[in-house]
């Protein structure tokens, strides 16, 4: 039956969208795994520094993910109601809020760099910064007469910690500045879901992971053999995600919206903006949700050029005034005025 065919099509579309998101997850996790593999092959100090960076990489997500959720929850009904003007306002507001969070996080990371690193890697101050030699001797007190040197692995631990700190210092500026990019990426993830751009998300990750991240990681690891080069590949992937998401939502997607079908209604009623001259068409129930529509008068010429606005369809049932062969028919308001003049003339006669 037609209902069964429609249900089957919807199920197929659901699985198609799900497969697109699975590809996204696989690409994202593969990039994280590749970073860990490369960092582990650079040594224990590089692996320790990589783990610190990985823990702080998602620093802004704890706040920005809330903005992404707002974009999904509020943006979806706006797109469904074709309230594209309100959706653009939502995009601008969330962009400013997300970018602000990223700027604050970047400033905190730059200013409090040493304090943050000390939380993860508490380097013993008794070691020299260059070669790791003891400045103070470590002894273990046995009794009142004898002291024995404490032989342990503190030398090696101190050296590895200082190496990790130096590696962190080399990556810290790039890592801090990327917080602004990450904030926009996380924010626009919610907006892409609100507009159901699953196929675009899949293609964006495939291009970014296969065409950008993988060559950059292989080249940087082979030539430089540093953790900074490894994380440059990850920064390049997120930069690509940011540019692609922002461009798609603000430039590409609006071109697919039909301007003749733009409505200022959202799922919660009319938007805060009003038409220029305050004109509106009220349906049953007044101006509440579902009880009327507001049309942007600036769209009227375009709509009339494509066949007329929806509420002008009743013009076909109106009587024809004048002969179309002698020029355009007068408007109903002009006809009613001429009728009143004719009636007054007849009464006067």
């Amino acid at each position: 039956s037609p209902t069964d065919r429609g249900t089957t099509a919807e199920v197929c579309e659901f699985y198609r969208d799900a497969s697109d998101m699975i590809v996204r997850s696989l690409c994202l996790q593969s990039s994280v795994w590749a970073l860990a593999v490369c960092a582990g092959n650079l040594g224990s100090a590089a692996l320790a520094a990589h783990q610190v960076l990985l823990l702080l990489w998602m620093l802004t997500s704890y706040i920005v993910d809330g903005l992404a959720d707002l974009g999904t929850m509020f943006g979806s009904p706006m797109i469904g109601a074709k309230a594209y003007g309100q959706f653009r306002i939502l995009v601008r507001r969330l962009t400013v809020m997300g970018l602000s969070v990223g700027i604050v996080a970047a400033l905190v990371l730059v200013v409090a760099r040493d304090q943050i690193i000390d939380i993860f890697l508490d380097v013993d101050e008794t070691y020299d910064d260059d070669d790791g030699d003891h400045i103070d001797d470590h002894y273990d007190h046995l009794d009142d007469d004898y002291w024995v040197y404490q032989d342990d692995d503190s030398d090696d631990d101190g050296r590895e910690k200082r190496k990790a700190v130096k590696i962190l210092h080399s990556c810290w500026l790039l890592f801090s500045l990327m917080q602004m990019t990450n904030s926009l990426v996380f924010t626009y993830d919610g907006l892409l879901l609100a507009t159901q751009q699953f196929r675009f998300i899949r293609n964006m990750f495939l291009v970014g992971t296969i065409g950008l991240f993988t060559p950059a990681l292989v080249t940087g690891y082979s030539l430089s053999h540093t953790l900074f080069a490894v994380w440059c590949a990850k920064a390049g992937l997120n930069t690509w995600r940011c540019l692609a998401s922002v461009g798609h939502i603000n430039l590409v997607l609006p071109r697919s919206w039909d301007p003749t079908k733009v409505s200022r209604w959202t799922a919660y009623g009319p938007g805060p903006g009003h038409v220029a001259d305050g004109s509106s068409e009220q349906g049953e129930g007044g101006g509440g949700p579902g009880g009327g529509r507001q049309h942007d008068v600036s769209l009227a010429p375009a709509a009339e050029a494509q066949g007329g606005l929806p509420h002008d369809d009743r013009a076909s049932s109106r009587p024809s005034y004048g002969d179309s062969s002698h020029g355009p028919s007068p408007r109903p308001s002009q006809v009613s005025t001429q009728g009143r003049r004719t009636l007054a003339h007849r009464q006067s006669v």
Side-chain angles (χ1 to χ4, degrees):
S1 63
T3 304
D4 294 336
R5 289 197 297 270
T7 303
T8 303
E10 291 176 357
V11 171
C12 292
E13 183 180 1
F14 173 81
Y15 280 110
R16 185 166 55 250
D17 295 339
S19 63
D20 292 338
M21 298 306 293
I22 290 175
V23 172
R24 172 197 181 274
S25 299
L26 290 177
C27 291
L28 187 59
Q29 292 299 323
S30 298
S31 67
V32 176
W33 295 336
L35 289 178
V37 170
C38 292
N41 289 324
L42 293 176
S44 58
L47 184 60
H50 169 75
Q51 186 61 29
V52 173
L53 294 176
L54 195 61
L55 289 173
L56 295 176
W57 180 253
M58 305 288 290
L59 179 63
T60 61
S61 66
Y62 302 105
I63 299 177
V64 178
D65 279 353
L67 301 179
D69 292 339
L70 289 177
T72 303
M73 291 184 292
F74 286 97
S76 296
M78 291 177 181
I79 294 297
K82 294 182 172 58
Y84 303 128
Q86 297 301 314
F87 182 74
R88 288 193 181 97
I89 295 176
L90 176 67
V91 170
R92 288 196 296 267
R93 290 176 178 176
L94 292 180
T95 300
V96 172
M97 295 171 67
L99 186 59
S100 300
V101 173
I103 292 175
V104 172
L107 291 176
V108 171
L109 289 173
V110 171
V111 173
R113 182 194 68 175
D114 296 334
Q115 291 78 6
I116 295 175
I117 293 177
D118 287 341
I119 295 175
F120 296 94
L121 298 172
D122 186 13
V123 180
D124 194 343
E125 295 180 355
T126 59
Y127 293 95
D128 182 73
D129 290 338
D130 295 329
D131 54 11
D133 294 336
H134 280 287
I135 296 177
D136 297 331
D137 292 335
H138 293 270
Y139 291 92
D140 185 22
H141 182 256
L142 296 180
D143 51 38
D144 294 337
D145 299 327
Y146 300 96
W147 298 79
V148 175
Y149 177 72
Q150 180 181 351
D151 188 12
D152 54 18
D153 295 332
S154 58
D155 287 344
D156 294 336
D157 292 342
R159 291 190 184 95
E160 292 300 321
K161 285 183 178 180
R162 287 192 308 281
K163 289 180 181 179
V165 170
K166 290 182 178 179
I167 294 174
L168 284 175
H169 287 175
S170 66
C171 302
W172 201 258
L173 182 60
L174 172 66
F175 170 78
S176 301
L177 295 178
M178 283 302 300
Q179 295 302 315
M180 294 180 287
T181 302
N182 292 347
S183 297
L184 291 178
V185 168
F186 303 149
T187 301
Y188 275 79
D189 281 346
L191 295 173
L192 289 173
L193 294 178
T195 54
Q196 299 184 1
Q197 300 299 302
F198 304 113
R199 182 171 300 179
F200 168 78
I201 294 174
R202 179 202 64 187
N203 296 337
M204 176 182 65
F205 269 91
L206 287 175
V207 172
T209 304
I210 299 176
L212 179 63
F213 172 78
T214 302
L217 182 63
V218 173
T219 303
Y221 179 79
S222 301
L223 298 180
S224 180
H225 210 66
T226 60
L227 189 65
F228 176 78
V230 171
W231 272 91
C232 280
K234 180 62 174 177
L237 175 61
N238 274 33
T239 301
W240 159 251
R241 290 175 57 189
C242 179
L243 295 176
S245 300
V246 173
H248 187 76
I249 291 293
N250 293 281
L251 299 177
V252 178
L253 191 60
R255 297 178 182 177
S256 63
W257 296 338
D258 186 1
T260 65
K261 297 180 180 180
V262 174
S263 171
R264 290 187 177 274
W265 273 90
T266 65
Y268 315 101
H274 296 284
V275 294
D277 60 352
S279 61
S280 63
E281 180 186 0
Q282 299 294 335
E284 295 180 1
R293 295 176 298 173
Q294 285 185 337
H295 300 279
D296 194 338
V297 295
S298 62
L299 302 176
E304 291 174 354
Q306 297 186 7
L309 290 173
H311 61 276
D312 287 335
D313 293 338
R314 59 179 179 267
S316 58
S317 62
R318 296 170 181 169
S320 177
Y321 298 95
D323 186 0
S324 58
S325 63
H326 294 83
S329 301
R331 296 181 180 179
S333 59
Q334 296 175 346
V335 173
S336 59
T337 303
Q338 294 173 0
R340 287 195 300 268
R341 292 177 179 174
T342 303
L343 180 61
H345 174 72
R346 291 178 178 176
Q347 290 176 353
S348 62
V349 174

